């Protein structure tokens, strides 16, 4: 079978939560190379560790396009202690490196074996992931109930985004917002504003950010 045909098959297969891409890359070196452009095109990140690991992985694979992305994380108190702790030696064995940008304690000169995952690290990681995939993303779902967004939309330009679903609290939007999602068609905001607001301000903000919006769900 020609490589071009295999490439099309891999592209169609890599539309799940990322499992297919990982499985294909384990078949052989040739298949790993064929699946490389498609391995990250559809990803689901559920929980604190997958979010942080994805950021570390994307930083070492900056040219991997992501078309569909789901990010979900509950309040960290809902997870077990092990799920909220990173063993740096084990992560390094996976080829993943974490720095003091997410964990300030790593800036000390003393060796640290484990770090505790905190809400600020998750919030920063999500924003950095979105900034890295913004140029290729078509579909984005986020379910982050413990992080309050500064407004209804993330302050990241998504030029190709078509569908956006955001679960989680957000503060009153500013009166105006630049055109962050020029091609967005469907938007769902699943949580009410957490501070007093005017509906007209919200609508003006959304329409300014997404001028081609055809479906809005509140």
């Amino acid at each position: 079978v020609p490589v071009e045909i295999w490439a099309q098959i891999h592209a169609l297969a890599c539309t799940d939560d990322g499992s297919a891409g990982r499985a294909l890359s384990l078949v052989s070196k040739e298949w790993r190379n064929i699946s490389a452009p498609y391995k990250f095109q559809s990803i689901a990140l559920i929980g604190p560790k997958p979010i942080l690991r994805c950021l570390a992985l994307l930083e070492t694979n900056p040219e991997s396009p992501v078309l569909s992305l789901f990010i979900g994380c509950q309040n960290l108190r809902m997870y077990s202690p092990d799920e909220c702790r990173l063993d740096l030696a084990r992560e390094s064995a996976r080829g993943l490196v974490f720095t003091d940008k997410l964990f300030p304690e790593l800036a000390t000169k003393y060796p640290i074996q484990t770090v505790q995952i905190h809400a600020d690290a998750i919030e920063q990681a999500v924003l950095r992931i979105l900034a890295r995939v913004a140029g290729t993303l078509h579909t984005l779902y986020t379910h982050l109930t413990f992080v309050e967004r500064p407004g209804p939309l993330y302050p990241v330009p998504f030029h190709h985004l078509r569908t956006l679903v955001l679960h989680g609290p957000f503060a009153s939007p500013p009166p105006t917002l630049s055109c962050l999602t020029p091609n967005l068609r469907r938007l769902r905001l699943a949580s009410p504003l957490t501070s007093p607001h005017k509906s007209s301000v919200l609508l003006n903000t959304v329409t300014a950010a997404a001028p081609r919006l055809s479906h809005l769900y509140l």
Side-chain angles (χ1 to χ4, degrees):
V1 179
V3 173
E4 293 78 9
I5 300 299
W6 279 122
Q8 294 182 36
I9 294 173
H10 285 214
L12 293 173
C14 296
T15 55
D16 57 352
D17 61 353
S19 300
R22 294 193 299 271
L24 289 171
S25 65
L26 295 175
V27 174
S28 66
K29 183 177 180 180
E30 182 181 7
W31 276 38
R32 184 185 304 116
N33 294 334
I34 294 174
S35 64
Y38 316 107
K39 185 163 57 175
F40 298 104
Q41 69 178 3
S42 181
I43 303 176
L45 309 174
I46 303 174
K49 284 187 178 180
I51 292 173
L52 296 173
R53 286 169 177 165
C54 179
L55 174 61
L57 194 59
L58 288 174
E59 289 182 337
T60 59
N61 297 271
E63 298 182 0
S64 299
V66 179
L67 304 182
S68 299
L69 176 62
F70 175 89
I71 302 179
C73 188
Q74 304 179 69
N75 191 303
L76 296 183
R77 291 176 295 181
M78 304 295 293
Y79 295 95
S80 68
D82 183 64
E83 291 176 305
C84 293
R85 188 167 50 240
L86 282 176
D87 185 316
L88 297 181
R90 290 184 178 179
E91 300 302 323
S92 179
R94 296 169 178 258
L96 304 177
V97 178
F98 298 93
T99 68
D100 57 350
K101 291 182 179 180
L102 289 179
F103 302 101
E105 59 268 34
L106 295 179
T108 64
K109 60 182 179 180
Y110 302 103
I112 296 177
Q113 302 298 324
T114 62
V115 291
Q116 189 71 24
I117 300 174
H118 46 81
D120 288 344
I122 298 298
E123 184 176 5
Q124 292 180 43
V126 169
L127 290 175
R128 287 168 61 181
I129 289 172
L130 294 180
R132 286 193 169 273
V133 305
T136 59
L137 206 59
H138 289 183
T139 303
L140 172 62
Y141 283 65
T142 68
H143 197 290
L144 303 166
T145 58
F146 67 98
V147 177
E148 182 181 85
R149 301 190 305 278
L153 306 180
Y154 285 103
V156 178
F158 298 99
H159 296 298
H160 302 288
L161 195 65
R162 296 298 188 94
T163 301
L164 177 59
V165 179
L166 301 173
H167 289 256
F170 56 90
S172 291
T176 59
L177 191 65
S178 59
C179 182
L180 297 176
T181 53
N183 291 299
L184 188 66
R185 297 294 192 273
R186 289 176 170 81
L187 170 63
R188 180 179 180 86
L189 300 174
S191 292
L193 295 177
T194 55
S195 59
H197 67 286
K198 294 182 179 180
S199 298
S200 59
V201 174
L202 173 61
L203 291 177
N204 290 338
T205 300
V206 169
T207 53
R212 296 184 180 180
L213 192 69
S214 60
H215 296 74
L216 175 62
Y217 307 93
L218 299 173

